[in-house]
Amino acid sequence: MKLAQLLVEPRMVTGVAGSVRSCLFGAVEKLESGHPLCRAVQRMTGPDSAPRDLSLTAHARLLDLGSEEGEPGPGLVLGLPSGDGEAQVSGPFTWIAWGLPVPSVNLFLGPVLRRWSTSLREGAGPDEAEKLLSSRDFAESAVKTRVTVGDALTLLSYRIYPGTPITEIQHLMIRRGLSSVPVVGKNLEVLGVVTADDVLPHVLPDAKGAEPFTLRRLAAREVMARSVMCASPEEGLLEASRSMIARGMAQLPVVREGELIGFLERATVLRAFVGAIVSTK
């Protein structure tokens, strides 16, 4: 989906400079009561109902106004700080978007807006914000509304083979901080997986403290688990993440047409689903 398709009219509203809450309340006074921005502001009646806030750059902030029951995702507005501290903002509020799923906000919308908002200087006014919103490049920037495994995978940068010595696997795990390593064939097809639990029994000395000499003779094929759950890059990120966490996997191999192309990692899943706005600074 293009950014232009996510805009909600009017795409620019202006409030009185002050706190986020007071600026938002002032900004919606002229809008119809059924407007989604009005409904979101009306929900902010309690002391703990302030929008979640992320400073995209020194001159732009993305605010998460939450969502109503039945809405597919949070309401978001791009705001301009007043320069008087993080708690203060000034009009205008621009670029009102609604209904994006959380991974789309974290992995796509946030980075896109951060890139574009660097063009807003301190004290930018409505004319400059309108110029940015009206630019073709901004409007044509893409934001995925259905995030797949392929959008979040870490590309393959290491592999082991059935004949890889277990000592080499041990060193690879230590260097890269890995808890599991896939075993592939000559065409990069997944044959199995070696975990730290598979390696440890062969690394620890015996009860008398003797060195485990068998370690030198073992290879991946002798310790790997041969039943491996994999995901397709076209699979939805949410479904694959649930399967990975349910099985206690630190990373999920991603396979296209039988070939291992990368991994879905827990750190990526955490970043995609925690909250609705995540800074990657």
Side-chain angles (χ1 to χ4, degrees):
M1 181 176 288
K2 305 298 184 182
L3 280 177
Q5 296 174 273
L6 294 172
L7 298 177
V8 177
E9 294 296 338
R11 61 185 185 178
M12 184 177 298
V13 291
T14 304
V16 178
S19 68
V20 172
R21 184 189 300 270
S22 62
C23 191
L24 280 171
F25 271 95
V28 301
E29 287 181 349
K30 297 180 180 180
L31 298 179
E32 296 181 1
S33 59
H35 192 280
L37 184 57
C38 281
R39 297 200 304 270
V41 171
Q42 289 166 1
R43 293 197 301 269
M44 293 192 298
T45 54
D48 299 323
S49 60
R52 282 180 285 186
D53 184 4
L54 172 68
S55 294
L56 294 170
T57 68
H59 312 310
R61 303 163 70 179
L62 188 60
L63 305 175
D64 172 12
L65 306 180
S67 59
E68 292 181 317
E69 185 176 352
E71 290 181 348
L76 303 160
V77 294
L78 182 63
L80 307 180
S82 65
D84 298 325
E86 291 188 0
Q88 300 293 305
V89 293
S90 63
F93 275 94
T94 68
W95 203 90
I96 307 166
W98 238 264
L100 286 177
V102 170
S104 183
V105 176
N106 285 334
L107 300 182
F108 288 96
L109 180 60
V112 166
L113 289 182
R114 186 175 294 110
R115 184 173 70 249
W116 280 104
S117 60
T118 56
S119 64
L120 293 173
R121 61 177 177 79
E122 185 175 1
D127 291 343
E128 291 179 69
E130 178 62 38
K131 184 177 180 180
L132 173 65
L133 293 177
S134 301
S135 69
R136 181 174 180 179
D137 287 343
F138 180 89
E140 292 297 310
S141 295
V143 175
K144 286 205 170 187
T145 54
R146 179 183 182 270
V147 182
T148 66
V149 171
D151 297 320
L153 67 81
T154 299
L155 294 176
L156 179 66
S157 61
Y158 58 86
R159 63 183 69 87
I160 61 174
Y161 299 92
T164 301
I166 196 170
T167 50
E168 186 175 325
I169 300 171
Q170 179 187 12
H171 294 157
L172 176 64
M173 287 181 167
I174 293 171
R175 288 197 311 271
R176 294 181 174 264
L178 305 173
S179 59
S180 63
V181 183
V183 183
V184 301
K186 61 181 181 180
N187 296 317
L188 295 185
E189 70 275 20
V190 180
L191 302 178
V193 65
V194 176
T195 68
D197 289 340
D198 298 323
V199 174
L200 279 173
H202 305 286
V203 174
L204 300 176
D206 62 22
K208 297 180 181 180
E211 181 184 351
F213 293 103
T214 56
L215 181 66
R216 301 174 185 173
R217 302 192 296 269
L218 290 175
R221 65 169 62 89
E222 297 170 88
V223 298
M224 70 183 188
R226 298 177 185 274
S227 177
V228 184
M229 174 185 169
C230 299
S232 161
E234 290 75 32
E235 185 175 350
L237 180 61
L238 177 59
E239 294 76 14
S241 300
R242 283 173 172 166
S243 298
M244 182 177 71
I245 302 305
R247 292 173 179 257
M249 302 175 69
Q251 58 184 14
L252 179 63
V254 182
V255 175
R256 177 186 288 125
E257 296 180 355
E259 178 182 334
L260 179 67
I261 60 172
F263 309 94
L264 177 61
E265 299 181 338
R266 278 192 174 188
T268 305
V269 173
L270 181 64
R271 182 163 61 90
F273 287 99
V274 63
I277 304 172
V278 177
S279 175
T280 55
K281 294 180 181 178

